[in-house]
Amino acid sequence: GDSVTQTEGLVTLTKGLPVMLNCTYQTTYSPFLFWYVQHLNEAPKLLLKSSTDNKRTEHQGFYATLHKSSSSFHLQKSSVQLSDSALYFCALSDDTNTGKLTFGDGTVLTVKP
Amino acid sequence: AQTIHQWPVAEIKAVGSPLSLGCTIKGKSSPNLYWYWQATGGTLQQLFYSITVGQVESVVQLNLSASRPKDDQFILSTEKLLLSHSGFYLCAFYGGANAETLYFGSGTRLTVL
């Protein structure tokens, strides 16, 4: 079956530093990848999405590129802010009819002053 | 604009008591609707999905049930709560230009004591 792996459970950084959150996936279908961000006591919100190979997608200073050759969709930002502290999920979809969105375990990003 | 409303915002219930959580979506006809569950700090687990009124598919067995009484309404319930039911319950639907993006409601925080 489909799977998503996020290798970092917790990332702690100082404000202004760059960050990369890893996401790799496995699927036998054509992948559609998503990054969701969830702030404390809130619902997850879409941050980025892509199904196009080797094309960078950006939103709110975050960016990611889907690389089908390496089955990866890493999330990056050049300079993190305190407000970026949140739980980040990578997710994989290959069948929208059933809503079978497979989520990774999530990465908690904590940004310190 | 498509909106999704969940109720209640939070519940504190005793073990063995019944539960009913609701979700209403506006601005989208015949939506595919989903229930997700999230343990505190954990990943998102799909519980049920419904493509049409009166039809609900179960994804995991957690002693919960779901119903789709109306096109715009999705209900999650159980007659007897367990401690393990505590968590964050999220209703979701697919939106976006090609209906490829999962959007979540604001969620219900359930504490079972």
Side-chain angles (χ1 to χ4, degrees):
Chain A
D2 293 348
S3 67
V4 175
T5 301
Q6 294 181 246
T7 52
E8 308 96 358
L10 177 63
V11 173
T12 302
L13 288 171
T14 301
K15 173 185 171 183
L17 291 179
V19 65
M20 184 170 83
L21 305 183
N22 291 315
C23 173
T24 56
Y25 64 89
Q26 284 190 320
T27 181
T28 56
Y29 300 96
S30 182
F32 208 133
L33 272 294
F34 303 80
W35 275 102
Y36 283 84
V37 57
Q38 185 178 25
H39 289 94
L40 192 62
N41 295 320
E42 295 183 7
K45 295 178 183 177
L46 178 69
L47 183 58
L48 293 171
K49 61 182 178 183
S50 179
S51 60
T52 305
D53 199 12
N54 297 317
K55 182 179 178 181
R56 174 165 154 160
T57 182
E58 299 186 39
H59 184 63
Q60 296 181 338
F62 287 91
Y63 59 94
T65 302
L66 176 60
H67 292 296
K68 293 184 180 181
S69 60
S70 58
S71 299
S72 67
F73 191 57
H74 305 319
L75 181 68
Q76 296 180 265
K77 190 174 186 183
S78 58
S79 174
V80 293
Q81 304 303 309
L82 295 175
S83 58
D84 294 329
S85 294
L87 178 56
Y88 291 82
F89 289 104
C90 184
L92 166 69
S93 174
D94 60 37
D95 183 355
T96 57
N97 284 334
T98 62
K100 183 57 179 172
L101 198 63
T102 301
F103 285 88
D105 289 339
T107 298
V108 175
L109 174 63
T110 301
V111 181
K112 295 185 173 181
Chain B
Q2 298 159 354
T3 60
I4 183 167
H5 173 63
Q6 281 189 247
W7 73 91
V9 173
E11 280 268 45
I12 299 175
K13 305 278 279 186
V15 170
S17 62
L19 174 76
S20 181
L21 305 180
C23 165
T24 298
I25 179 169
K26 298 299 182 185
K28 186 173 178 64
S29 61
S30 303
N32 291 357
L33 294 176
Y34 309 88
W35 278 110
Y36 280 81
W37 174 78
Q38 183 183 30
T40 301
T43 192
L44 295 151
Q45 172 68 62
Q46 189 184 87
L47 301 176
F48 299 93
Y49 69 90
S50 173
I51 296 175
T52 190
V53 174
Q55 287 191 337
V56 176
E57 299 295 329
S58 174
V59 178
V60 293
Q61 291 298 324
L62 288 178
N63 293 309
L64 295 167
S65 60
S67 64
R68 181 90 176 260
K70 301 178 184 178
D71 186 54
D72 64 351
Q73 196 173 79
F74 205 18
I75 306 296
L76 183 71
S77 61
T78 183
E79 293 186 0
K80 285 188 177 183
L81 280 166
L82 306 172
L83 286 174
S84 58
H85 286 139
S86 292
F88 198 34
Y89 289 84
L90 294 150
C91 185
F93 72 98
Y94 269 97
N98 299 306
E100 77 288 347
T101 302
L102 195 65
Y103 292 98
F104 293 92
S106 54
T108 296
R109 177 76 59 188
L110 174 65
T111 303
V112 182
L113 303 174

